[in-house]
Amino acid sequence: MRSPELPAGGRPAGHAAVRRSSSRPRRLSALSLRNWPVSRRLVAVIVLALLMGLVFGGLRVANAANTEAGFARTTQLAVLGQEVTALAQAMENERDITAGYDAAAGNDAGAGVAVPCAPNALKTLPKGVVSYCTAMLQAQAATNAAAAPVATLAGRIGSAFPAITQNKAQNVASIATGLGGLRSQALQGTSLSTIQTYTAQIDDLFDLNDEITSGSGDPVLADEVRTLGAISRAKDEASQQRGILYAALVGGSFAGGAQQSLLIAGELESADLLSFEASATTAESNNYLATVAGAPVDTAQLMNNYLVDLSGTSSLAAATNKLSTTNPSSVFGAEAPHTWYNAMSATISKMRTVELQLASAIVARSELLQQGAHNSEILAAAVTGAVLLLVLIATLIVARSLVEPLRRLQADALEVATVRLPERVAELSETSDPSTSLQVEPISVNSTDEIGKVARAFDQVHREAVRLAGNEAMLRGNLNAMFISLSRRSVPLIERLARMIDSLEQNEDDPDRLSNLFAMDHLVTRMRRNSENLLVLAGEEPVRKWSEPVPLADVARASTSEIEQYSRIMLNIQPGIAVSGQAAADVVHLLAEIVENATMFSPRDTPVHVSGQELTSGGVLLEVRDSGVGVSPS
């Protein structure tokens, strides 16, 4: 056959590219995502979804936990602030009583007693000073009792709070634990200096209360804290007025700068009350007006109105004596200091009631916010867990609906490829009935999704394979029938021709014609072998059969007579060996084909040796030896 023309270079176009691409098959990495099993991919998607849910849910829970922690700190500050207001009230009482003691002991006039106020020094004090000293010692004991919880709670304000809050808490703790130094300093000065010293410490206490809402972010709580700060400072300024005027009444005159301090305290109280009204709710304002009222409040206001404008050392004592003489029912007189102190204390006590209500409300509000944040944290955790569980269940259900059909598809496809289809092809190849059913058993995936569609496509491929196998079997049957028909038509004619040649041979005396008749007889024999080969190819039984065993030498001679160059065959068959009659025809055909090949592919002037001998194992060895066409050493 002629070779196709080649382009320049002697190599077909594209040969190098095809060879290069096909010589290095691409290796698929096991780590590549497209090589992962579907189940692993689904697990990866599920894990990724759960991790994302855990991250976002965890952030939500963490945010709720941080909010709860912030409100817990707010609650801690609110509780501390409630105790701080109690300490501030105790220090205000102690301050004002100490100011009265300073005035009674002559500290304002520069002639203080030689022995300071102490529990063991009461007998050595002047008679007029003992009652003031006793009251001061009782006030100090009350302050000590109020300072103990403040010091404990302030010491618990740790690093979780802002730095400014920590500093203020440390300052409050120092105040609560350093009252001894404060008192020593107060006993060495005037009543006004005592009031100013105590007031500076009390202001530091109020500064801490301003930090209650530093981390809450709740506007209602912020308003409550501002309202508490306003009422606490207004109460403290009222207390300062009580102490200043109490010391002045005890001493009989305003000490240096006391009257101005009294006016300033009154103005600051009015300003803080205005701040209170601005930040307080209507209910809180009404509660203040209803609580801070009554006869003691009116008495304190009356005395303040008469005395606040007086000035001079002698004028204050003279005014009180004059009013007491002209109006015996007046509150002024020898008991004016105690009357003023008691009336003003009643007013401050009522203001303290409002302050305590506000402080309690702040604590309750902060605890409510903390509990709400705690509930939000639990709810967020529960919702996150429930959502993740639902997502996990849903994804597992979806994953199962994908993986199980795929596994059934794989198992059924393998069964079709290895069992069903081969058996069906073998069945179709053995049957000769063209009406045999080509129906196939479908794959057991009945869904309508892509997996089901793949299963139906594979069923279609299965049916097409069975159909092609049926067509092939039918075609093969037709070819076999054609071979059989041709063979059966040819064999009788060949037999008749052989008999005619035998008849001519018997009546012929001319050697040349007889030789030609022998040649024709040999050709007819070869034609009969080729015709019988058609029956072999068609799977039919050979026409010639023997019931008795046939000697192997006769089988060899029969096979030799069916080839063209029979004269080159040299037989050497061991006598006494016979072949079953049923197999004799097949052995003749097989040996004839082998011997003919030997004569065709060997030099025509060389013999072909056919030998046969019995083996000790029970079989027979037939050997066909020829000279061959020759093969070069390379």
Side-chain angles (χ1 to χ4, degrees), residues 262-329:
L262 180 64
L263 294 174
I264 293 173
E267 292 173 357
L268 291 177
E269 180 188 4
S270 299
D272 286 328
L273 288 177
L274 290 176
S275 298
F276 170 82
E277 293 177 359
S279 59
T281 63
T282 303
E284 291 170 345
S285 298
N286 294 335
N287 178 59
Y288 175 82
L289 295 176
T291 302
V292 186
V297 176
D298 296 337
T299 300
Q301 187 64 40
L302 175 64
M303 295 184 70
N304 184 69
N305 291 337
Y306 275 109
L307 300 176
V308 73
D309 293 332
L310 297 178
S311 62
T313 302
S314 59
S315 62
L316 183 59
T320 54
N321 291 332
K322 180 179 179 180
L323 288 172
S324 174
T325 304
T326 57
N327 188 3
S329 62

Side-chain angles (χ1 to χ4, degrees), residues 471-527:
N471 293 342
E472 181 183 356
M474 186 178 299
L475 178 61
R476 188 165 55 249
N478 293 336
L479 289 175
N480 290 341
M482 182 177 61
F483 288 160
I484 293 172
S485 177
L486 290 175
S487 178
R488 294 193 184 279
R489 289 183 181 184
S490 300
V491 168
L493 296 176
I494 292 172
E495 293 291 343
R496 291 175 58 187
L497 182 59
R499 288 195 297 270
M500 291 178 64
I501 292 174
D502 288 341
S503 176
L504 292 175
E505 287 177 351
Q506 293 176 2
N507 298 325
E508 184 61 50
D509 295 329
D510 187 354
D512 293 333
R513 290 182 179 179
L514 187 60
S515 176
N516 291 334
L517 290 175
F518 284 157
M520 292 177 61
D521 188 17
H522 178 70
L523 289 176
V524 170
T525 302
R526 290 175 60 196
M527 291 173 62

Side-chain angles (χ1 to χ4, degrees), residues 55-78:
V55 169
F56 289 108
L59 291 176
R60 181 67 183 88
V61 174
N63 183 44
N66 292 334
T67 303
E68 181 190 3
F71 285 132
R73 291 190 293 270
T74 300
T75 302
Q76 187 176 350
L77 288 175

Side-chain angles (χ1 to χ4, degrees), residues 34 39 61 79 93 176 257 281 366 374 401 447 512 549 563-564 567:
R34 60 182 176 180
S39 58
V61 174
V79 173
N93 295 336
T281 63
S366 61
H374 179 69
S401 68
S447 60
D512 293 333
I563 67 173
E564 180 181 2
S567 59

Side-chain angles (χ1 to χ4, degrees), residues 427-439:
E427 177 185 351
L428 292 173
S429 64
E430 294 175 357
T431 184
S432 58
D433 185 7
S435 63
T436 302
S437 175
L438 300 180
Q439 293 297 322

